[in-house]
């Protein structure tokens, strides 16, 4: 008993810094906050008219192992014209077969966890984009900003370019062009995004 009490006191003193960690320090994993995130693409028709189309159905995570994923629900496409949304879903993305596009990349989890609030890192990286049954690598320069203890903000320095030809989407674009009576729709599509991730709790709070 004599020895037990000082041992307990020592253990508790050593572990105290761990207990003092804020709950939001979490487990080193992160979940996308869809309400605080956005992704949009730009189409160009007849070589002169640019239009922005949004995809509000987003989900994603960054695992403690550094695997980051973003999933884009293609049924959620919002072009501002109802019949065009329907045509994009059915004639282009074929969402009955390919409901979502998925982006995957490996990130340095220690780098992410080590960012101080307000600190930003630039990452030249390549992500795997799974879209319409095809998977290709797309280069991207990302800015990762630690907003505060619990939130991480990821955006790209410039739009990421998606070549519809690499994803068997040119036929669908041509079908959209015909049904809308257009002369041309561009097949190189710029994609922009602003993603907010929230730290997962450590399950003890
Ligand atoms: C810490 C850390 C680093 C974390 C990382 C976190 C993480 C996972 C980050 C991800 C980073 C990353 C690299 C993301 C990449 C994101 C990308 C690239 C996503 C791809 C998303 C996507 C959905 C791509 C599809 C692109 C595509 C090919 C779109 C097609 C757009 C076109 C061409 C639309 C045409 C519209 C049009 C002009 C239609 C004609 C038309 C019709 C048919 C119509 O009916 C109508 O109304 C009557 C019209 O109006 C008159 C029309 O114009």
């Amino acid at each position: 008993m004599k020895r037990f009490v000082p041992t307990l006191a020592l253990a508790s003193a050593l572990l105290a810094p761990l207990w003092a960690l804020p709950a939001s320090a979490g487990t080193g994993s992160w979940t996308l906050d869809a309400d605080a995130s956005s992704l949009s693409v730009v189409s160009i028709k007849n070589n002169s008219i640019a239009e922005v189309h949004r995809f509000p159905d987003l989900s994603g995570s960054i695992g403690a192992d550094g695997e980051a994923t973003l999933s884009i629900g293609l049924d959620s496409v919002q072009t501002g014209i109802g019949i065009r949304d329907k045509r994009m879903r059915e004639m282009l993305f074929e969402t009955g077969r390919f409901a979502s596009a998925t982006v995957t990349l490996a990130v340095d989890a220690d780098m992410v966890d080590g960012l101080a609030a307000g600190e930003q890192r630039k990452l030249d990286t390549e992500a795997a984009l799974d879209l319409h049954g095809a998977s290709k690598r797309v280069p991207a320069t990302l800015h990762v900003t630690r907003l505060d203890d619990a939130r991480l903000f990821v955006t790209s320095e410039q739009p990421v370019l998606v070549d519809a030809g690499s994803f068997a989407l040119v036929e669908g674009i041509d079908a959209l062009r015909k049904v809308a009576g257009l002369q041309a729709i561009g097949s190189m599509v710029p994609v922009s995004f602003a993603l907010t991730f929230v730290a997962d709790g450590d399950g003890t709070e």
Side-chain angles (χ1 to χ4, degrees):
M1 187 64 182
K2 254 187 215 156
R3 272 209 198 121
F4 181 64
V5 173
T7 310
L8 250 187
L10 180 66
S12 116
L14 287 173
L15 290 173
L18 289 181
W19 294 329
L21 275 179
S24 54
T27 58
S29 59
W30 303 76
T31 300
L32 188 85
D33 178 350
D35 292 336
S37 301
S38 61
L39 182 141
S40 60
V41 308
V42 172
S43 67
I44 311 259
K45 63 187 183 190
N46 290 347
N47 300 323
S48 60
I49 301 166
E51 291 170 297
V52 179
H53 314 296
R54 299 180 56 250
F55 292 84
D57 177 11
L58 303 174
S59 57
S61 60
I62 305 167
D65 60 357
E67 181 171 283
T69 63
L70 170 67
S71 177
I72 303 137
L74 299 173
D75 267 332
S76 74
V77 64
Q78 288 181 355
T79 72
I81 302 176
I83 182 68
R84 181 160 65 178
D85 295 352
K86 184 171 184 292
R87 287 172 172 164
M88 295 256 296
R89 290 195 289 264
E90 291 173 2
M91 298 166 69
L92 180 64
F93 295 127
E94 301 182 86
T95 56
R97 292 169 67 202
F98 310 109
S100 52
T102 311
V103 185
T104 318
L105 72 151
V107 303
D108 179 347
D110 290 339
M111 179 281 284
V112 171
D113 288 341
L115 284 177
E119 200 180 345
Q120 186 178 72
R121 281 289 167 89
K122 184 167 144 173
L123 286 185
D124 281 314
T125 187
E126 263 199 347
L129 170 60
D130 216 310
L131 168 65
H132 198 239
S135 185
K136 301 278 169 198
R137 301 197 76 80
V138 288
T141 301
L142 303 179
H143 286 191
V144 183
T145 310
R146 183 83 179 235
L147 297 176
D148 54 32
D149 212 27
R151 291 176 310 146
L152 197 67
F153 183 68
V154 180
T155 188
S156 66
E157 188 165 89
Q158 55 217 4
V160 175
L161 296 179
V162 173
D163 178 0
S166 298
F167 297 93
L169 287 167
V170 169
E171 213 180 297
I173 290 183
D174 207 44
L176 293 178
R177 180 189 66 73
K178 282 190 186 132
V179 76
L182 297 166
Q183 276 165 10
I185 299 179
S187 62
M188 284 301 287
V189 178
V191 179
S192 306
F193 51 87
L195 309 173
T196 302
F197 291 87
V198 177
D200 294 333
D202 62 7
T204 62
E205 63 264 28

